[in-house]
Amino acid sequence: MRKFTLNLGAVLLLSLALTSCGSAKVAETDSHMHPAVAPKTGTGEAAPGGGTYLNEPIPADVLKLALVDQYGKSFTLASLKGKTLVITNFLTSCQEICPMTSANMRDVGDAISKAKASEKIKVLEITVDANRDVPSRLLAYQNLFATKNWTLVGGSEANLAKLWDYFGAPATMEEFSKSDRESNPPDWQTGKSVSYDMMHADLVLIVDENSTWRWLDLGAPNVGSSKIPEKLKSYLSADGLKNLEKPEGSSWKVEAIYSALTDITGINIAK
């Protein structure tokens, strides 16, 4: 998952430069809280806890894209207006990075639940692989984790492509070679060899209650001491095991999300 394409020009180029500069902080007490910077549209400001603050109203055509959760329930981002959304991308067939992304999103969902903020903040892990990630597979994947305080999301190929094009992380299919198919672990659900991957940028973002894109962090997830399910750990490729131990390049931690959420919502979110 190393392809990186961003489509908001100067805003996200600035975000890329700023992401590696912030050190992650946990929002520990109310004294930490300070209003999130709302920069001019088209610009970004470094977030004190890591990542970058933005101020980008999401277009109506993106908000109205039909999506579906792991239970087969249809919804749109527009239908979630009034809630703050933590959004990231993944696919259930990924053997390099996505199991760690899911572990972090589980932890974020659990922290939000612990803060009694689940009615105000929703965590969405949205696939880039429409063909394989149907609701039944999304639910089977989530069932590998101990808790379900976050939502896995699919949709049509066209709608997911439009969504991730807007957020600057379009995905492209890459067929595995015969040797890769034979050397990589078999699929965690079917036991069959995996024939292709979806290459995409790795990012996590926050959309506020007014459907405005407010925060972004880039790079591979760093799970720290958090655990991923053994079944998914055994599914990781050699590169995936390396990423589990130490992500390549820039990375993000859940503490950066907690800090940004606290600043944006005024709700104290911590481990």
Side-chain angles (χ1 to χ4, degrees), residues 1 4 15-25 49-52 88 97 100-101 104 201-204 215-224 242-257:
M1 313 302 165
F4 218 105
S15 302
L16 180 59
L18 292 174
T19 298
S20 60
C21 298
S23 59
K25 298 179 183 176
T52 304
T88 191
I97 288 176
M100 285 74 88
T101 300
N104 275 3
D202 295 290
L203 51 77
V204 59
W215 179 84
L216 169 71
D217 210 349
L218 306 168
N222 187 328
V223 296
K242 290 178 183 176
N243 284 324
L244 175 60
E245 185 174 345
K246 185 179 180 181
E248 286 185 19
S250 62
S251 63
W252 56 269
K253 296 182 179 181
V254 294
E255 288 84 355
I257 300 174

Side-chain angles (χ1 to χ4, degrees), residues 4-266:
F4 218 105
T5 306
L6 296 174
N7 72 347
L8 289 182
V11 176
L12 296 186
L13 287 175
L14 178 60
S15 302
L16 180 59
L18 292 174
T19 298
S20 60
C21 298
S23 59
K25 298 179 183 176
V26 180
E28 294 178 348
T29 67
D30 289 343
S31 62
H32 160 87
M33 290 165 51
H34 43 82
V37 173
K40 243 176 108 178
T41 299
T43 65
E45 294 285 344
T52 304
Y53 287 133
L54 306 173
N55 187 9
E56 299 291 328
I58 299 175
D61 60 336
V62 174
L63 293 173
K64 292 179 181 178
L65 292 170
L67 303 170
V68 63
D69 69 15
Q70 70 269 34
Y71 300 108
K73 182 180 178 181
S74 297
F75 71 98
T76 64
L77 295 184
S79 70
L80 299 178
K81 187 172 183 179
K83 298 180 185 293
T84 298
L85 309 177
V86 181
I87 299 175
T88 191
N89 55 356
F90 88 121
L91 64 153
T92 64
S93 299
C94 168
Q95 296 178 290
E96 291 184 356
I97 288 176
C98 299
M100 285 74 88
T101 300
S102 300
N104 275 3
M105 290 299 100
R106 171 203 59 201
D107 291 352
V108 172
D110 288 349
I112 291 167
S113 177
K114 183 179 177 181
K116 303 188 185 316
S118 299
E119 292 301 311
K120 296 182 179 179
I121 306 172
K122 194 171 182 67
V123 181
L124 304 178
E125 191 172 4
I126 306 178
T127 188
V128 298
D129 187 6
N131 292 323
R132 290 182 295 199
D133 284 345
V134 296
S136 59
R137 182 170 168 94
L138 292 172
L139 182 58
Y141 179 88
Q142 191 179 47
N143 283 340
L144 300 176
F145 293 81
T147 59
K148 293 185 177 180
N149 289 320
W150 85 111
T151 300
L152 303 187
V153 181
S156 70
E157 187 172 0
N159 285 355
L160 291 173
K162 186 169 183 176
L163 179 81
W164 287 120
D165 279 349
Y166 170 72
F167 284 123
T172 57
M173 180 185 292
E174 182 175 284
E175 296 280 351
F176 284 133
S177 67
K178 182 180 179 182
S179 61
D180 283 341
R181 291 198 302 271
E182 292 173 348
S183 63
N184 285 340
D187 182 79
W188 57 269
Q189 183 182 40
T190 67
K192 298 178 180 179
S193 64
V194 180
S195 61
Y196 69 90
D197 195 5
M198 297 295 291
M199 306 301 290
H200 63 91
D202 295 290
L203 51 77
V204 59
L205 59 101
I206 294 174
V207 174
D208 72 13
E209 61 185 3
N210 297 313
S211 300
T212 298
W213 185 0
R214 293 291 309 281
W215 179 84
L216 169 71
D217 210 349
L218 306 168
N222 187 328
V223 296
S225 60
S226 186
K227 303 294 183 183
I228 68 170
E230 284 300 319
K231 195 163 191 177
L232 291 181
K233 185 175 180 180
S234 66
Y235 177 60
L236 291 173
S237 65
D239 284 342
L241 290 171
K242 290 178 183 176
N243 284 324
L244 175 60
E245 185 174 345
K246 185 179 180 181
E248 286 185 19
S250 62
S251 63
W252 56 269
K253 296 182 179 181
V254 294
E255 288 84 355
I257 300 174
Y258 301 154
S259 178
L261 280 174
T262 298
D263 289 349
I264 290 168
T265 67

